[in-house]
Amino acid sequence: MQIADIFVSLQGEGKNQGRPCLFIRLAGCNLDCSWCDTKESRSGGISMSMDTVLEQIWRVNPTYVCITGGEPLLQADALELLLASLHRRGTEIDIETNGTIDFSPLQKYASVCMDVKCPSSGVQSDLGLLGKIRPDDTVKFVVKDENDCRYAQGVIASHRIAGEIFFSPVFGADYQVISKFILTNNLPVRMQVQLHKVIGVK
């Protein structure tokens, strides 16, 4: 596997925000998003065997693991082997994905957090994948401004989304504009700032 980083931190986003977590950041990405905050993970990384990755994981012996990137589903075959091993140990797993690659083969092992890319990101997600989201999965819109919020509102209105929906403002965006849009339009979402950036951890 091509690994960008393995580290322990607090989960900064999503339904498990605030929980201690072992992050496995896979290298490589198929998008060039304006709001990427881990540009170093788009390529390169360190080639590690499955045994080496697992050895690093078991040293920590986490109860909760988040697979992120980059775009981790670019390494889906190797990732499935890793997930199966974690799943057998009873580890709780989240996968963060940019919503461009079918994640359904891996849902038996993990909860999925699917990003839906908004206009300010400069890229697009595959909205057809929203139909594969289950109640224990989540969907996240990273929003910069009212235009992004309006786009997200349209996506929510036109797609059945079974999981919880988050609005995650771009760090430094006008939070009041975004919160006002949510309240004015009575959107079925949870607004959530990026905890790890607020407290200054990875």
Side-chain angles (χ1 to χ4, degrees), residues 1 26 50 65-68 71-88 91-98 101-113 129 132-134 136-137:
M1 304 183 77
L26 275 60
M50 186 65 63
V65 169
C66 180
I67 310 293
T68 187
E71 174 44 61
L73 298 184
L74 292 173
Q75 302 184 55
D77 290 345
L79 179 57
E80 182 164 10
L81 296 175
L82 176 61
L83 294 177
S85 182
L86 291 170
H87 187 70
R88 283 194 296 270
T91 308
E92 184 178 351
I93 311 165
D94 285 344
I95 302 172
E96 296 180 343
T97 176
N98 63 25
I101 300 172
D102 184 9
F103 45 76
S104 57
L106 303 179
Q107 285 177 295
K108 58 189 173 184
Y109 306 112
S111 175
V112 169
C113 176
L129 293 173
K132 298 179 183 291
I133 292 291
R134 307 162 302 176
D136 59 338
D137 298 322

Side-chain angles (χ1 to χ4, degrees), residues 21-38:
C21 176
L22 176 70
F23 289 85
I24 304 172
R25 187 179 300 284
L26 275 60
C29 192
N30 57 339
L31 295 182
D32 186 14
C33 177
S34 298
W35 306 119
C36 179
D37 55 5
T38 54

Side-chain angles (χ1 to χ4, degrees), residues 4 13 25-43 68-72 96 98 115 117-123 140 142-144 148 168-171 194 196-197:
E13 301 174 287
R25 187 179 300 284
L26 275 60
C29 192
N30 57 339
L31 295 182
D32 186 14
C33 177
S34 298
W35 306 119
C36 179
D37 55 5
T38 54
K39 296 183 187 298
E40 69 281 359
S41 68
R42 287 181 176 172
S43 60
T68 187
E71 174 44 61
E96 296 180 343
N98 63 25
D115 255 12
K117 301 299 183 181
C118 293
S120 68
S121 72
V123 295
K140 179 179 71 176
V142 176
V143 291
K144 175 193 176 189
D148 280 351
S168 179
V170 172
F171 191 66
Q194 296 172 302
H196 53 297
K197 292 186 178 180

Side-chain angles (χ1 to χ4, degrees), residues 156-170:
I156 293 167
S158 58
H159 293 77
R160 177 188 170 276
I161 301 175
E164 188 170 10
I165 303 169
F166 292 86
F167 270 26
S168 179
V170 172

Side-chain angles (χ1 to χ4, degrees), residues 11 30 36 139 181:
Q11 175 58 271
N30 57 339
C36 179
V139 171
F181 188 93

